[in-house]
Amino acid sequence: MTENNENLNELLSRFLDERQTHEAAEDFRAGEKLLASFPVPACDQDVINSIKAQIKVRLEARKRQKLIRSMFHRVAACAVIIVLAIAGVKFFPEPKRERVTVSKAGSDFIWDDEIGTGSDEQFAALTAKIDEIQASMLAIRLDENGDEGGTILTNLEVEISEINGDFWKG
Amino acid sequence: MEARQDLKEIIANCQAGSNEAFSRLVDLYASRCYSYFYRLTGNATQSSDLLSTLFLKLVEKIGTFRLATGSFEKWLFTIASNIFRDHLRRKYRQQKLLQGKAEELELKAAATRTKADEEMIDELQVQMAKLDAETAELLMLRFYGGLTFRQIAEIRSEPVGTVLSKVHRGLKRLRELMGHHRD
């Protein structure tokens, strides 16, 4: 009728001899001819229409189900992300930043070791001398020493730089 | 060849969920499937119900059909065959359950049988009923299903030689019955 176009004789010959193959093939043809001579009454068109309508309903229901399922999956995925985010904030808080502080002991070491307690008097004398020079410079700036102010100022600056150099050399 | 290509396209669209494609599939196969059920049940109403069950099952299962390699007819009539067997089992259970009320049912069945059913029962149908259910189904798979003997053998999980022999015997018996009836 549609697909059964296989070679019947060849198939039969695998099981029967030549004469039997021929007879069996004839029987098949006669039998199928008999069936074809009694056509089945056609299916009622209402039945066909009803089937098509039922299929339409099923397909629409399936589309709805698919949509609901995909929405459910999206909502579930969002929920999981939110839960993970909350859990992350709750169980893994931001690490505290360490403050960088200068060790007091370190600074003590510098002062104690380099200068020592014995040099306090020397330090005080130097500070006094610097103050004196600064006062002189201020006087010159205020023009208290007349025209020679420029030369005096240069001398004073040279003196300050020498004192500073001596101080840092120890 | 072109028809095959068309069928492939229709099936692919069915798999994509197209209502129009399913309508075309119904138009293509309803007649053959109805004939298959009709010759096996001998009843128009039951055949319509089985046909409806078949196509609704098809909507459910079309996604499982392998378009590239499978034969659609074989796949379709495998489902049809399973539906018919389920129907036979149900019928058998009902008969067993209602054995005590056989006479009463016989009367009821006679009363509810429609005029259309009466008219549709032809000579061939009467003689077909005399064949055993298995042989009748093999004949219908071959004739209305249009399946090859190899395909029928695959569906029934039997050797091709056995199927050939059963169909041959069935057709011969049917011819005898028809000849006997005519005499």
Side-chain angles (χ1 to χ4, degrees), chain A residues 121-142:
Chain A
E121 286 168 14
Q122 199 183 351
F123 181 68
L126 280 168
T127 311
K129 202 163 185 179
I130 289 168
D131 286 344
E132 193 186 321
I133 292 164
Q134 276 178 338
S136 305
M137 279 174 74
L138 190 64
I140 291 159
R141 280 205 183 100
L142 292 171

Side-chain angles (χ1 to χ4, degrees), chain B residues 1-68:
Chain B
M1 194 68 184
E2 204 176 312
R4 291 261 137 237
Q5 199 53 42
D6 279 353
L7 181 63
K8 275 194 172 182
E9 206 178 304
I10 292 169
I11 294 166
N13 288 334
C14 286
Q15 287 177 330
S18 158
N19 181 44
E20 204 180 309
F22 271 110
S23 284
R24 286 187 67 189
L25 208 62
V26 172
D27 289 335
L28 277 173
Y29 287 101
S31 172
R32 275 167 67 184
C33 294
Y34 176 79
S35 302
Y36 169 81
F37 287 130
Y38 181 82
R39 283 295 178 213
L40 291 172
T41 61
N43 184 296
T45 314
Q46 280 177 13
S47 304
S48 300
D49 289 346
L50 292 173
L51 188 71
S52 175
T53 309
L54 171 67
F55 280 108
L56 292 179
K57 198 83 158 176
L58 206 72
V59 175
E60 272 176 42
K61 295 199 172 240
I62 193 80
T64 64
F65 175 68
R66 281 175 296 173
L67 195 58

Side-chain angles (χ1 to χ4, degrees), chain A residues 35-51:
Chain A
L35 287 169
S37 63
F38 285 89
V40 171
C43 181
D44 195 343
Q45 192 55 42
D46 287 346
V47 173
I48 305 282
N49 292 340
S50 157
I51 290 169

